[in-house]
Amino acid sequence: MIVEGQIHGGLTEGFAIAFMQEIAYDAEGNNLNTNFTDYLVPTALETPEWETDSTVTPSPHHPIGAKGVGESPNVGSPAAFVNAVMDALSPLGIKNIDMPLYREKVWRAIRDAEAKT
Protein backbone atom coordinates (compact mmCIF):
# COMPACT_ATOMS: atom_id res chain seq x y z
CA MET A 1 0.00 0.00 0.00
CA ILE A 2 2.90 2.36 0.74
CA VAL A 3 4.48 1.73 -2.67
CA GLU A 4 1.16 2.22 -4.47
CA GLY A 5 0.62 5.46 -2.56
CA GLN A 6 4.09 6.67 -3.58
CA ILE A 7 3.35 5.84 -7.22
CA HIS A 8 -0.06 7.57 -7.14
CA GLY A 9 1.49 10.64 -5.52
CA GLY A 10 4.29 10.76 -8.08
CA LEU A 11 1.85 10.40 -10.97
CA THR A 12 -0.30 13.17 -9.53
CA GLU A 13 2.68 15.50 -9.26
CA GLY A 14 3.74 14.57 -12.81
CA PHE A 15 0.21 15.38 -13.96
CA ALA A 16 0.43 18.75 -12.19
CA ILE A 17 3.80 19.51 -13.79
CA ALA A 18 2.49 18.67 -17.27
CA PHE A 19 -0.87 20.42 -17.07
CA MET A 20 -1.08 22.87 -14.17
CA GLN A 21 2.10 24.24 -12.69
CA GLU A 22 4.16 27.13 -14.00
CA ILE A 23 6.42 29.61 -12.27
CA ALA A 24 5.89 32.93 -14.05
CA TYR A 25 8.19 35.96 -13.96
CA ASP A 26 7.78 39.53 -15.17
CA ALA A 27 10.30 41.37 -17.37
CA GLU A 28 12.35 42.36 -14.31
CA GLY A 29 12.57 38.78 -13.04
CA ASN A 30 10.02 39.13 -10.25
CA ASN A 31 8.08 35.99 -9.42
CA LEU A 32 4.41 36.47 -10.32
CA ASN A 33 3.20 33.39 -8.44
CA THR A 34 2.17 34.82 -5.09
CA ASN A 35 0.22 31.86 -3.67
CA PHE A 36 -1.19 28.43 -4.46
CA THR A 37 -4.02 29.89 -6.54
CA ASP A 38 -1.34 30.95 -9.04
CA TYR A 39 0.76 27.79 -8.69
CA LEU A 40 -1.72 24.96 -8.54
CA VAL A 41 -1.29 21.98 -6.24
CA PRO A 42 -3.63 19.19 -7.32
CA THR A 43 -6.31 17.91 -4.99
CA ALA A 44 -8.47 14.82 -5.33
CA LEU A 45 -10.78 16.87 -7.59
CA GLU A 46 -8.11 17.46 -10.26
CA THR A 47 -6.41 14.08 -9.99
CA PRO A 48 -7.32 11.34 -12.45
CA GLU A 49 -8.00 7.85 -11.17
CA TRP A 50 -4.80 5.88 -11.61
CA GLU A 51 -4.71 2.22 -12.57
CA THR A 52 -1.26 0.87 -11.77
CA ASP A 53 0.58 -2.42 -11.81
CA SER A 54 4.01 -3.45 -10.65
CA THR A 55 6.93 -5.68 -11.44
CA VAL A 56 9.11 -6.86 -8.59
CA THR A 57 12.81 -6.64 -9.39
CA PRO A 58 14.90 -6.66 -6.20
CA SER A 59 17.97 -4.45 -6.15
CA PRO A 60 21.21 -6.45 -6.17
CA HIS A 61 22.89 -3.52 -4.36
CA HIS A 62 20.78 -3.61 -1.17
CA PRO A 63 20.86 -6.35 1.50
CA ILE A 64 17.08 -6.90 1.36
CA GLY A 65 16.63 -5.89 -2.30
CA ALA A 66 14.93 -2.58 -1.48
CA LYS A 67 14.70 0.32 -3.93
CA GLY A 68 13.25 3.81 -3.87
CA VAL A 69 9.96 4.27 -5.69
CA GLY A 70 8.58 7.73 -4.92
CA GLU A 71 10.43 9.72 -7.57
CA SER A 72 10.15 7.26 -10.47
CA PRO A 73 6.63 8.21 -11.60
CA ASN A 74 7.35 11.90 -11.11
CA VAL A 75 10.34 11.84 -13.47
CA GLY A 76 8.80 10.10 -16.48
CA SER A 77 5.14 10.96 -16.27
CA PRO A 78 5.20 14.64 -17.37
CA ALA A 79 6.81 13.68 -20.67
CA ALA A 80 4.41 10.76 -21.08
CA PHE A 81 1.37 12.98 -20.49
CA VAL A 82 2.59 15.68 -22.89
CA ASN A 83 3.52 13.11 -25.52
CA ALA A 84 0.03 11.61 -25.29
CA VAL A 85 -1.53 15.02 -25.97
CA MET A 86 0.89 15.73 -28.81
CA ASP A 87 0.14 12.32 -30.32
CA ALA A 88 -3.58 13.10 -30.19
CA LEU A 89 -3.00 16.46 -31.89
CA SER A 90 -0.55 15.23 -34.51
CA PRO A 91 -3.25 14.74 -37.20
CA LEU A 92 -3.71 18.52 -37.03
CA GLY A 93 0.00 19.07 -37.66
CA ILE A 94 0.66 20.31 -34.12
CA LYS A 95 4.20 19.34 -33.16
CA ASN A 96 4.84 21.17 -29.89
CA ILE A 97 3.12 23.00 -27.06
CA ASP A 98 5.30 24.11 -24.17
CA MET A 99 4.43 22.82 -20.71
CA PRO A 100 2.29 23.30 -18.83
CA LEU A 101 -0.43 22.32 -21.26
CA TYR A 102 -3.13 24.63 -19.97
CA ARG A 103 -6.51 24.09 -21.61
CA GLU A 104 -6.25 27.48 -23.28
CA LYS A 105 -2.87 26.64 -24.86
CA VAL A 106 -4.23 23.41 -26.30
CA TRP A 107 -7.40 25.14 -27.53
CA ARG A 108 -5.36 27.90 -29.20
CA ALA A 109 -3.06 25.36 -30.86
CA ILE A 110 -6.08 23.49 -32.25
CA ARG A 111 -7.74 26.72 -33.39
CA ASP A 112 -4.54 27.95 -35.07
CA ALA A 113 -3.99 24.58 -36.78
CA GLU A 114 -7.55 24.50 -38.06
CA ALA A 115 -7.23 28.08 -39.36
CA LYS A 116 -4.23 27.02 -41.47
CA THR A 117 -6.21 24.31 -43.28
Side-chain angles (χ1 to χ4, degrees):
M1 185 168 61
I2 291 170
V3 169
E4 190 168 337
Q6 289 286 304
I7 292 169
H8 284 220
L11 287 171
T12 299
E13 182 55 29
F15 177 80
I17 292 166
F19 296 108
M20 304 166 74
Q21 297 178 340
E22 180 176 39
I23 299 175
Y25 298 92
D26 66 15
E28 287 79 41
N30 298 306
N31 188 331
L32 298 175
N33 300 88
T34 57
N35 55 47
F36 286 135
T37 60
D38 298 325
Y39 184 86
L40 300 175
V41 177
T43 69
L45 293 174
E46 294 85 23
T47 303
E49 185 175 324
W50 306 115
E51 183 177 321
T52 60
D53 201 354
S54 63
T55 302
V56 178
T57 54
S59 171
H61 308 292
H62 191 277
I64 63 169
K67 295 188 218 176
V69 69
E71 293 178 359
S72 300
N74 182 294
V75 172
S77 63
F81 295 136
V82 172
N83 282 337
V85 173
M86 298 317 303
D87 186 56
L89 298 177
S90 65
L92 297 172
I94 300 169
K95 299 194 183 303
N96 182 61
I97 304 172
D98 290 335
M99 288 192 326
L101 299 186
Y102 294 133
R103 291 174 289 203
E104 182 181 347
K105 281 185 183 179
V106 174
W107 177 78
R108 285 181 191 269
I110 292 169
R111 187 191 66 190
D112 293 347
E114 289 174 341
K116 290 179 184 176
T117 58

